[in-house]
Amino acid sequence: MENGFDKFKELRARTKPIRWMIILIIALSFLPALIKFFINFPVDYLWFRALGFQNRYLKVIVTKMEIFFLFGLIFYFLAFFNNLIVKINITSQVRKMILGEKYIKEISKYLHVALIIFMVIFGLAASSWWSEFLKFYNLENFNLSDPVFGKDISFYVFKLPIYHFLKMWSRMLFIFLLAWALILYTLSNTVSISAKTIFVPQHIRIHLGVIIFFLFINYGLGFLLKKFDLVLNQHSIVKGASYTDIYAYTFAYHILFFASLILALSFIYWIFSKDFKTNLAGIIIFLILLVSLNYIYPFFLEKFVVAPNEIEKEKRFIKHTIHYTRMAYDIHKVKERFYDVKYNLKPSIIRTEKEVLKNIRLWDWRPLKMTFKQLQEIRPYYIFSDVDIDRYKIAGEFRQVMLAAREITHSNLPKEARNWINRYLKYTHGYGMVMIPVSQVNQEGLPEFYIKDIPPQSIKDLKIQRPEIYYGETVRDYVIVNTKTSEFDYPSGDGNVYTFYKGNGGIKLNSVWKQFLFSVYLGSIKVLFSDFITHSSRVMIRRNIIERVKELAPFLLLDNDPYMVLVKGHLYWIIDAYTFTDQFPYSEKFNDEINYIRNSIKVIINAYTGKVKFYIVDPGDPIARTFKNIFPDLFSRSEELDKEFREHFRYPSDLFMIQADMYRTYHMIEPDVFYNKEDIWNVPSEIYDENEILMDSYYIINEIDEKKGPEFLNIIPFTPSKKNNMIAWMAARSDGEHYGKLVVFKFPKRNLIYGPMQIEARIDQNPEISRLISLWGQKGSRVIRGNLLVIPIKNSILYVEPLFLQAEKQELPEIKRIIVAYHNNIAMASSLEEALSMALEGSGIESSGTDKDLEASLKELINKALIYYNNGTKALKDGDWTGYGNNMKKLKEKLQQIKNRTP
């Protein structure tokens, strides 16, 4: 035995360099993470404090630490106690050991280090659940119970995830303790396991038996939790617990729970008995029950009982699915109305419904973005990343507008100008915005501007006092302001105008320590040693508004379309934020990710200072109230919000399209109709450019309540499944006390109401329109068909589609024609008013415009042909055979084009 220990010491001595190398590698691998932590912690704290949210940051840090130490210490004490018992048991059997008692003392310190490593792993795994623990201890009830177990929905949303975590964490703990003990017992030869026998001394059986007892108790409790998971299932018809779930799996889980308890008790019996056969038989019986009850019985019940009578067996559960899915997506409040289409509009409507018609959107955001780029980016380092839609009160009337923020991008600076000073100290901000009315087009086919140019030139009601944009959608880099060098403000003629930052955004670099800290954090030594940076300088990080909000509230889902608003001369961003879960019983999941969503929170960011405010606009949402309980300083009540911001709230398209997608199925509230999918609706397609695309919801100003007048709506039409005619349209209201209310208008089934693709087909089949599009589509030009808008008005339906013309070598699309369809009439003219008047009168296409365009085109081609002929004749006289051949080739091309365009 001493000889064995000597060999162990010799082996340890020979491997000492390797052990130290491994320790060094492990230490170096952890070093970057430690450095990152000690740098990020003070930087994050300073950033949160600058925004006034340091309490939110500290609460998360403290919660993570509490969970880490709580679960880490629980693991350590149990693992240490487990290891101590192993050591005592092995020592008592020292004569049967391979290496002896000295071996235990030598390896104990290594085992202790291993336990500490595992303690960190188990503690970190638990701390990652900080959000779920905070919601668990601060939950708000839904005051709605599931129909099977009678639990409040908060049990599934806030409690059940924690119970599952505790189950899995403790299960891994028991498995670890068991594996640790078995490995040490086996290595020390205190237990022997062979094909024929399993020999375990009684004092070791006590140890292992207790661990296995608690492990099977854990499995038993796990079966009880699985029972509650049944209401979260996603079957093809039923979303939640089905007939088979209730009458097979619920029964199975209860039996398996008791079987687990009996099996656990059998290992207590094993402690006092040397015979392991009883336990082996118990395990085999348990596995047979598991397979029989969890797989075989449900299969036969589903196949021979449910499948032949599915509608009858599942009807009760289909009702639950319909009811709870509608609740989860907030479509149970949708008001359905009948829209009796009469087609009785007169040309006089152009005067009587002026407020609606002048807000019909002609500009499509995609070609408009290119137009903004050509006309208003001014310099290559400016960029319009997106075009948004909103409404403003102008001259006492609400006008729908399209707008874009002019942000700055360093990537478009000249290569030689992309130095550190220019990128981070000089070119620090974008400047101003552009805004146009949605329906106005000048004689050149370009937009009329409400706000344009640098510095901003605007109409009286839209003055911008603070046009600088330090925080936006595209910015990624940090900047440092209030340095010794002035910032570029905006270009002016052949020169530039410079400025210094006058706000309180960013973090003040008022100490050497902060300069060193950010020098390391930003990876630039210049932050510490640059002579331009003073104690009055401010560093701005996380300037991207999406990144900024996600850092503050990672538990919220953010809308994909932030939009800029102009309020009291200042620029702000508004982001719609959603509370959500995938734990709502009997609710169908959207994209296999969520089955409950609310737009409960509006986020407002000052584009100049970067200050962020979260406003709870739906206090009825239990998840939002729970977050308010957790972070009272982060969230504000909607009553604290300036009413001018409320005037720019719009119902978000992301949420609206989710609700529309769910409503197209869940408008069927009768189980029989729902089961047979007799009345499924679809979101229609449209033609954009030359491609068929799925229609997006769109904003309009329209009247759905005669007492309230025109209001800002988000609407989407519906078509029946596998058909193109229109069956209904859905609207989300955005103004005042009606914000968030959904209305569906159903068309009479006895009448054919053209759907978007049917109108697109009629446009394609119109010879005059086809001829004009072919004419414009000659070499060097591109015709873009814009959004087709369905406009409900006075119990009638209008369809409006703009035609854009764009030169291939210049991205400056121009609106050339407006197509209006009404009932069986299609009209096309150079203005909306003309096209609308012609469509209502049934006078057809503005043929004069087409003929004039054709005549002008032919004249141009003839003139070019004559030029090529004259040039060819001259080249022939001069003996220039190459020039003659080239001109004759071009002449032939023009003559062929003239032939093709001649009726």
Side-chain angles (χ1 to χ4, degrees), residues 328-371:
Y329 291 95
D330 207 24
I331 54 178
H332 63 295
K333 300 176 184 176
V334 172
K335 291 186 177 180
E336 292 191 352
R337 299 184 188 176
F338 186 65
Y339 197 87
D340 190 9
V341 180
K342 296 179 179 178
Y343 291 120
N344 55 0
L345 296 183
K346 304 296 182 184
S348 59
I349 197 175
I350 297 175
R351 297 187 305 274
T352 60
E353 297 298 321
K354 188 175 181 181
E355 190 170 355
V356 172
L357 298 177
K358 70 182 178 184
N359 282 298
I360 292 178
R361 178 168 59 84
L362 302 181
W363 287 99
D364 186 293
W365 69 268
R366 287 157 287 205
L368 181 61
K369 183 178 175 182
M370 292 187 283
T371 300

Side-chain angles (χ1 to χ4, degrees), residues 31 84 137 165 185 230 262 281 404 423 427 462 505 543 545 556 589 607 698 706 730 782:
L31 187 61
L84 181 63
Y137 285 110
F165 162 75
Y185 283 141
L230 293 175
I262 294 171
R423 289 186 63 182
Y427 291 89
L462 298 170
R543 296 196 298 141
I545 55 174
L556 296 177
K589 286 188 177 181
Y698 50 92
E706 293 182 1
M730 188 178 194
R782 172 190 171 201

